[in-house]
Amino acid sequence: MSDVGLLHLLQLQSKQRNMCNLTLCVLLFLTCSCSPLSSCPAQCLCETTVVNCVSQNLTSIPQPLPENITALNINGNDIRNLNNESFPRPLEHLTNLYVSGSQQLDSMVFKNLPSLRLLDLSNNRISQFSVEALPQDNKIEVLNLSKSLYNHSYIGVFANLFKHRLPKVSHLDLSNNDLVLLPEGIFAGLSDLTVLDLRNNSLVTIRNDTLCNRALKELDLRDNALKVLPNVTLEKLGSISDLRVRLAGNPWRCDCNIEDMLIWLAKHEFVVDSFNLTCSGPARLKNVPLLTLIQSQLSCWSNAGDAMDRVLEPSYVFLGMVLALIGVIFLLVLYLNRKGIKGWMYNIRDACRDHMEGYHYRYEINSDPRLANLSLNSDV
Ligand SMILES: *[C@@H]1O[C@H](CO)[C@@H](O)[C@H](O)[C@H]1NC(C)=O
Ligand SMILES: *[C@@H]1O[C@H](CO)[C@@H](O)[C@H](O)[C@H]1NC(C)=O
Ligand SMILES: *[C@@H]1O[C@H](CO)[C@@H](O)[C@H](O)[C@H]1NC(C)=O
Ligand SMILES: *[C@@H]1O[C@H](CO)[C@@H](O)[C@H](O)[C@H]1NC(C)=O
Ligand SMILES: *[C@@H]1O[C@H](CO)[C@@H](O)[C@H](O)[C@H]1NC(C)=O
Ligand SMILES: *[C@@H]1O[C@H](CO)[C@@H](O)[C@H](O)[C@H]1NC(C)=O
Ligand SMILES: *[C@@H]1O[C@H](CO)[C@@H](O)[C@H](O)[C@H]1NC(C)=O
Ligand SMILES: *[C@@H]1O[C@H](CO)[C@@H](O)[C@H](O)[C@H]1NC(C)=O
Ligand SMILES: *[C@@H]1O[C@H](CO)[C@@H](O)[C@H](O)[C@H]1NC(C)=O
């Protein structure tokens, strides 16, 4: 055995003194020619301390990782489960970790990574996660949870995490998660939050207590299901200095309820894409830019477009009923008054008959040739 080999063996022994006995170490040494702990795992590319193992069909985190590793990218593999064996040794220098495609995150999974600054868990389907997965005083600044929640109700678990375990987060990506409602005070613990990405969810409203983060600078709410933002929420957002909000791609409902919001859009500049906001309803205002609307277009009554039919349907029924009632009353009046009407009819009939009889008489006289002759002769 060479001196160098022996040195490595001694290194191994000292590092793993508690974990393996001498025979195991010798076995390891013989099978893998005992690569030093700081060398690169077989399936990965290492550039100094940056380790890249993208799309290698890995089913678990390659071991051992170089001791002084600072960044690890294991995106695009088939790691189904990150657990306490994924990072068995402390990696004091690891700051950036990219893990896409792992579907389960057990508790204590990141406890050996005390220096993490960036954690990318995007494109997972996380359904098992506990607050203990992160060390108590972690330094995570960028947390990417884009398209990573198993379903929208799982946000509750992360809300708990945000409240208690992420004191340093400044950049939070929650895009593409089908979120409908944000739990009350979900971001309240994130005092350093500056960039919040909620794009392409299904948010229907933003509560007035959801965004009270004084450090917030960028808020992306594009492509959600917002129909209107209430006064109190706008007031909250407007009171955060230097905030830039994006709101395009939401189905704004342009009726009387949106008036306050239009006033805000016109008066304040924190909505940077305000020119890109368009109405999605009522039908007659579809795709009209919000900033071109005038107040008289924003009615909740006669102009309510597709709601019109729904309003008119019962009114047609009502009109029919009124007309039927009038008809019935008319007939009733006729019936009650039948004697008077009968007498009146007789009078008219008699009058007509007298009149007609007079005509008839005269006609008979005029048309009788004998009488005509008589009258002619009498002239002679
Ligand atoms: C990290 O390990 C590599 C390989 O052993 C070594 O060349 C490098 O100097 C180490 N870097 C630090 C910062 O310790
Ligand atoms: C991963 O697996 C797929 C199919 O199983 C194969 O085509 C591909 O070559 C593998 N990639 C690597 C880097 O081994
Ligand atoms: C890892 O977790 C399993 C169960 O999830 C447990 O039995 C085991 O003791 C843990 N190992 C360590 C080193 O914590
Ligand atoms: C979300 O997933 C959990 C399991 O993690 C399940 O119990 C729950 O019913 C799901 N909710 C919806 C709305 O699908
Ligand atoms: C989060 O991950 C998604 C996709 O993996 C990427 O598009 C996005 O830029 C990432 N966000 C941040 C803040 O790095
Ligand atoms: C929006 O999110 C859904 C999942 O919630 C995803 O399937 C879709 O591709 C995303 N759209 C864009 C434009 O990113
Ligand atoms: C937020 O809304 C709730 C109910 O909608 C109300 O009770 C509360 O006073 C509001 N808070 C602020 C700061 O406006
Ligand atoms: C909304 O705020 C504006 C001015 O800030 C105010 O004039 C208006 O009455 C408020 N609307 C409601 C419904 O409170
Ligand atoms: C408005 O929309 C257009 C086209 O989609 C886009 O190019 C532009 O950047 C948007 N403006 C803002 C301020 O987001």
Side-chain angles (χ1 to χ4, degrees):
M1 203 182 279
S2 72
D3 285 352
V4 180
L6 198 63
L7 197 68
H8 289 319
L9 182 62
L10 288 174
Q11 270 182 349
L12 256 181
Q13 273 182 314
S14 64
K15 292 281 187 284
Q16 304 183 336
R17 208 176 312 140
N18 304 329
M19 293 166 70
C20 63
N21 56 30
L22 183 66
T23 41
L24 189 60
C25 286
V26 169
L27 266 177
L28 265 173
F29 175 76
L30 290 175
T31 49
C32 64
S33 70
C34 201
S35 55
L37 282 172
S38 53
S39 82
C40 195
Q43 304 93 331
C44 308
L45 287 172
C46 303
E47 266 181 52
T48 62
T49 60
V50 176
V51 179
N52 199 327
C53 323
V54 174
S55 302
Q56 294 298 315
N57 295 346
L58 296 173
T59 55
S60 64
I61 306 281
Q63 307 291 347
L65 291 164
E67 196 174 7
N68 62 7
I69 181 173
T70 58
L72 173 63
N73 186 338
I74 43 172
N75 287 351
N77 286 292
D78 195 20
I79 300 169
R80 299 276 165 89
N81 190 356
L82 282 184
N83 53 33
N84 58 5
E85 266 128 53
S86 300
F87 302 99
R89 294 183 303 122
L91 298 171
E92 302 281 348
H93 305 286
L94 185 60
T95 57
N96 290 20
L97 176 60
Y98 303 85
V99 210
S100 273
S102 122
Q103 307 191 352
Q104 198 171 319
L105 301 174
D106 280 353
S107 59
M108 315 296 272
V109 58
F110 303 121
K111 75 168 195 303
N112 280 332
L113 312 178
S115 306
L116 272 187
R117 295 277 147 80
L118 181 153
L119 179 56
D120 182 346
L121 296 172
S122 60
N123 292 307
N124 288 307
R125 294 194 76 205
I126 300 171
S127 62
Q128 297 275 317
F129 189 82
S130 88
V131 173
E132 278 78 46
L134 293 170
Q136 180 77 53
D137 289 318
N138 69 78
K139 304 179 182 70
I140 295 174
E141 289 164 11
V142 181
L143 179 59
N144 194 341
L145 293 171
S146 173
K147 202 174 181 188
S148 64
L149 268 55
Y150 179 73
N151 65 32
H152 61 80
S153 52
Y154 208 70
I155 187 66
V157 175
F158 281 96
N160 217 6
L161 183 75
F162 299 156
K163 275 182 200 164
H164 304 297
R165 281 288 164 120
L166 291 163
K168 293 278 192 310
V169 162
S170 66
H171 191 146
L172 179 59
D173 190 339
L174 276 170
S175 57
N176 307 316
N177 275 316
D178 265 334
L179 301 176
V180 180
L181 281 175
L182 296 169
E184 209 177 312
I186 173 173
F187 305 122
L190 308 178
S191 54
D192 290 343
L193 190 63
T194 54
V195 181
L196 177 58
D197 191 344
L198 288 166
R199 194 177 179 180
N200 189 30
N201 281 291
S202 305
L203 296 174
V204 291
T205 185
I206 303 291
R207 284 192 266 239
N208 59 1
D209 59 357
T210 302
L211 295 162
C212 312
N213 306 75
R214 308 309 303 176
L216 200 58
K217 294 280 170 282
E218 299 273 344
L219 172 62
D220 196 341
L221 284 168
R222 283 176 291 175
D223 304 315
N224 275 286
L226 301 170
K227 288 176 163 26
V228 65
L229 284 183
N231 243 10
V232 275
T233 301
L234 289 164
E235 255 165 52
K236 269 274 155 62
L237 294 178
S239 70
I240 301 172
S241 58
D242 300 330
L243 176 64
R244 293 157 55 85
V245 184
R246 287 174 201 281
L247 291 173
N250 281 287
W252 302 110
R253 173 125 201 119
C254 298
D255 58 20
C256 58
N257 295 315
I258 209 167
E259 270 180 44
D260 286 337
M261 184 175 156
L262 292 187
I263 295 170
W264 273 94
L265 287 181
K267 272 207 297 201
H268 299 78
E269 281 166 3
F270 61 86
V271 179
V272 290
D273 59 356
S274 56
F275 286 98
N276 279 2
L277 310 190
T278 55
C279 305
S280 82
R284 127 199 101 78
L285 290 176
K286 199 171 167 62
N287 296 331
V288 173
L290 253 63
L291 288 184
T292 66
L293 292 172
I294 52 170
Q295 195 174 15
S296 61
Q297 290 174 296
L298 302 175
S299 168
C300 282
W301 296 102
S302 54
N303 293 335
D306 41 47
M308 191 100 138
D309 299 339
R310 260 172 289 139
V311 173
L312 278 185
E313 215 166 276
S315 76
Y316 280 138
V317 172
F318 185 70
L319 188 69
M321 279 162 64
V322 168
L323 284 178
L325 197 67
I326 289 174
V328 166
I329 290 173
F330 184 68
L331 290 177
L332 199 68
V333 167
L334 284 185
Y335 177 74
L336 291 176
N337 229 351
R338 61 192 186 278
K339 294 236 173 66
I341 289 171
K342 221 192 249 171
W344 184 68
M345 294 280 279
Y346 283 145
N347 288 345
I348 288 184
R349 195 190 59 187
D350 291 346
C352 283
R353 196 168 50 198
D354 291 350
H355 201 66
M356 292 305 281
E357 269 173 0
Y359 268 116
H360 188 68
Y361 184 68
R362 248 189 276 167
Y363 174 76
E364 273 182 351
I365 289 176
N366 283 345
S367 60
D368 193 328
R370 285 169 303 171
L371 292 177
N373 286 344
L374 191 79
S375 59
L376 275 174
N377 292 343
S378 64
D379 280 353
V380 176

